[in-house]
């Protein structure tokens, strides 16, 4: 190799280094920078081409100088890549934050108040009326066991009334249900048992809450809906007290021109049982719910001596009442969360 050719290799290193640094500085974004980095790492890059010739340099001191120039260039390039990468990604992150930023002050200038859902409004009104009649409010779990939802309510494993509740089971999925089988409660009646177990009579309780049934949604059914349960346990409670409370509630909730009636019916957890209807001012009737004297087996399951105490219970759907009150045609509309629907009642 001629003596003049060797310094030109160092020139080439210098040129390649300048080109590389220029390309790095010129990368407009981190994607572009990654492309530059890939090109620089390529076997055929200008620097790597010089590196490939290193072995052919005969003059040891020149070889050392070229080697040094190469490693300095690599170091400088590596540093420049890292610095530019940091700079670009910081800028890109700042851009992204600016782009995705929400202007929350926008909402302050035009205040919009939310309102309670009509089912919540109905529940709160029901609570107010019953609290006014001397009741206390209790709640129970939505995920229940077979024991509380059925067995303690006088529906043992093979009881035919169980099939009326299209139950959603959580576990086990098999058909052989036992007391500890876990399910979504099909009514608020299991809360009766929980209240009896944890309170001492006299008990005057209402228990509102969500209930679940394996039902296809249509204009009058939803698989998730709401009920309110009532329970009274005291000494000397009779069916007359039940009828009196239903009537007092009817007047307080619907108005003085409404009345109630009881029709004989059957529920496993009450004996005798009845259904109650409310008569509108125009003479038409609304079927509201079920009620009856608490069955001795149910009292026992709740740890209460049926020789000492008697009681009555009632239960009815809340969604239906909200639907009735606001003349909603299709119950599904209440759960689509369409603001145009919801704002009518705010
Ligand atoms: N749990 C019943 C249902 O979901 C309603 C009911 C009927 C509740 C009679 C009661 C009752 O407390 O005494 O269909």
């Amino acid at each position: 190799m001629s003596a003049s050719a060797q310094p030109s290799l160092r020139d080439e290193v210098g040129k390649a280094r300048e080109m590389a640094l220029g390309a790095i500085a010129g990368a407009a974004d981190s994607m572009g920078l990654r492309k530059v980095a890939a090109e620089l790492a390529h076997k055929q890059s200008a620097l790597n081409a010089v590196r490939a010739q290193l072995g052919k340099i005969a003059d040891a001191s020149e070889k050392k100088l070229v080697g040094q120039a190469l490693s300095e260039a690599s170091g400088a390039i590596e540093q420049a890549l890292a610095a530019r990468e940091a700079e670009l990604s910081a800028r890109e992150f700042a851009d992204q934050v600016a782009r995705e930023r929400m202007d929350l002050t926008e909402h302050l200038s035009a205040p919009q108040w939310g309102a309670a859902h009509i089912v919540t409004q109905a529940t709160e009104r029901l609570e107010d009326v019953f609290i006014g009649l001397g009741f206390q409010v209790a709640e129970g779990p939505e995920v229940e066991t077979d024991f509380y939802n059925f067995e303690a309510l006088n529906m043992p494993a093979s009881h035919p009334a169980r099939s009326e509740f299209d139950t959603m089971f959580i576990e086990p999925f098999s058909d052989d249900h036992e007391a500890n089988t876990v399910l979504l409660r099909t009514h608020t009646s299991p809360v009766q048992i929980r209240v009896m177990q944890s309170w001492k009579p006299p008990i005057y309780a209402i228990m509102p809450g969500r209930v679940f049934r394996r039902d296809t949604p249509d204009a009058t059914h939803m698989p998730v809906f709401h009920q309110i349960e009532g329970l009274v346990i005291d000494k000397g409670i009779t069916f007359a007290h039940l009828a009196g409370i239903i009537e007092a509630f009817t007047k307080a909730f619907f108005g003085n021109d409404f009345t109630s009636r009881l029709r004989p019916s059957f529920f496993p957890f009450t004996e005798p049982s009845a259904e109650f209807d409310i008569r509108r001012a125009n003479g038409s009737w609304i079927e509201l719910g079920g009620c009856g004297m608490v069955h001795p087996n149910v009292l026992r399951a709740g740890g209460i001596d049926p020789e000492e105490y008697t009681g009555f219970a009632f239960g009815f759907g809340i969604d239906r009442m909200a639907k009735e009150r606001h003349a909603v045609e299709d119950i599904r509309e209440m759960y689509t969360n369409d603001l145009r629907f919801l704002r009518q009642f705010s």
Side-chain angles (χ1 to χ4, degrees), residues 119-154:
V119 171
T120 307
Q121 289 178 25
T123 308
E124 286 172 355
R125 277 195 69 226
L126 288 165
E127 288 177 3
D128 284 350
V129 166
F130 280 109
I131 287 169
L133 292 170
F135 285 69
Q136 282 178 282
V137 181
E139 282 184 357
E142 293 173 355
V143 178
E144 264 295 6
T145 59
D146 184 282
F147 174 78
Y148 284 98
N149 197 78
F150 292 119
E151 231 178 283
L153 291 164
N154 200 30

Side-chain angles (χ1 to χ4, degrees), residues 23-42:
I24 291 165
D29 51 29
S30 38
M31 186 110 93
L33 186 66
R34 263 186 303 241
K35 233 171 101 189
V36 171
E39 278 163 15
L40 291 174
H42 198 274

Side-chain angles (χ1 to χ4, degrees), residues 4-17 50 66 69:
S4 64
Q6 284 159 359
S8 90
L9 269 185
R10 268 186 275 156
D11 289 346
E12 269 183 54
V13 172
K15 263 193 272 172
R17 172 182 168 150
V50 176
V66 176

Side-chain angles (χ1 to χ4, degrees), residues 117-119 121-122 125-126 219-220 249-250 253-255 258-259 276-289 316-335 341 345:
H117 189 272
I118 53 175
V119 171
Q121 289 178 25
R125 277 195 69 226
L126 288 165
T220 53
F249 155 73
T250 301
F253 189 83
F254 293 94
F258 285 73
T259 52
F276 61 96
D277 307 327
I278 309 296
R279 184 180 181 276
R280 295 188 187 89
N282 69 8
S284 62
W285 293 89
I286 319 163
E287 283 182 29
L288 212 58
F316 54 88
I318 301 176
D319 308 67
R320 264 243 224 119
M321 297 190 61
K323 179 177 183 286
E324 178 74 26
R325 181 179 157 95
H326 298 286
V328 176
E329 283 198 0
D330 189 324
I331 210 158
R332 288 169 295 191
E333 282 201 85
M334 289 171 28
Y335 295 103
F341 174 83
F345 311 105

Side-chain angles (χ1 to χ4, degrees), residues 55-305:
K56 295 183 202 146
I57 303 172
D59 182 315
S61 68
E62 181 60 24
K63 186 173 181 172
K64 197 176 160 195
L65 287 174
V66 176
Q68 254 169 15
L70 273 172
S71 90
E72 276 169 27
S74 301
I77 289 169
E78 224 169 274
Q79 248 179 16
L81 276 173
R84 185 73 178 143
E85 163 61 21
E87 187 186 343
L88 287 173
S89 57
R91 189 157 81 203
E92 281 159 17
F93 181 66
D95 285 351
Q96 184 192 354
V97 169
R99 214 172 32 247
E100 294 175 1
R101 177 167 170 268
M102 280 191 281
D103 182 5
L104 299 176
T105 60
E106 183 174 62
H107 298 283
L108 287 177
S109 56
Q112 288 184 356
W113 307 116
H117 189 272
I118 53 175
V119 171
T120 307
Q121 289 178 25
T123 308
E124 286 172 355
R125 277 195 69 226
L126 288 165
E127 288 177 3
D128 284 350
V129 166
F130 280 109
I131 287 169
L133 292 170
F135 285 69
Q136 282 178 282
V137 181
E139 282 184 357
E142 293 173 355
V143 178
E144 264 295 6
T145 59
D146 184 282
F147 174 78
Y148 284 98
N149 197 78
F150 292 119
E151 231 178 283
L153 291 164
N154 200 30
M155 282 180 278
S158 60
H159 199 287
R162 281 180 172 228
S163 58
E164 284 167 31
F165 296 100
D166 296 306
T167 310
M168 291 196 255
F169 290 96
I170 291 184
E171 61 175 12
F173 298 112
S174 75
D175 278 338
D176 30 88
H177 301 125
E178 301 186 358
N180 59 358
T181 294
V182 182
L183 46 79
L184 293 180
R185 66 179 181 194
T186 56
H187 50 174
T188 43
S189 302
V191 193
Q192 286 186 34
I193 308 296
R194 294 189 175 273
V195 166
M196 284 189 249
Q197 285 178 341
S198 52
W199 300 6
K200 294 257 163 297
I203 294 170
Y204 290 79
I206 50 156
M207 298 143 269
R210 268 204 299 192
V211 301
F212 309 82
R213 289 193 199 168
R214 215 163 356 113
D215 241 341
T216 308
D218 64 27
T220 53
H221 295 89
M222 286 294 281
V224 181
F225 56 105
H226 301 78
Q227 287 186 337
I228 188 163
E229 194 82 12
L231 178 69
V232 168
I233 310 277
D234 208 339
K235 288 188 170 149
I237 294 290
T238 69
F239 204 92
H241 295 115
L242 165 58
I245 281 288
I246 297 281
E247 182 65 13
F249 155 73
T250 301
K251 297 252 186 288
F253 189 83
F254 293 94
N256 274 331
D257 44 357
F258 285 73
T259 52
S260 61
R261 78 174 170 198
L262 300 175
R263 281 179 291 120
S265 185
F266 173 80
F267 297 101
F269 24 92
T270 43
E271 179 61 37
S273 304
E275 269 169 80
F276 61 96
D277 307 327
I278 309 296
R279 184 180 181 276
R280 295 188 187 89
N282 69 8
S284 62
W285 293 89
I286 319 163
E287 283 182 29
L288 212 58
C291 59
M293 300 305 290
V294 181
H295 195 289
N297 288 347
V298 175
L299 289 171
R300 273 190 283 267
I304 288 172
D305 180 0

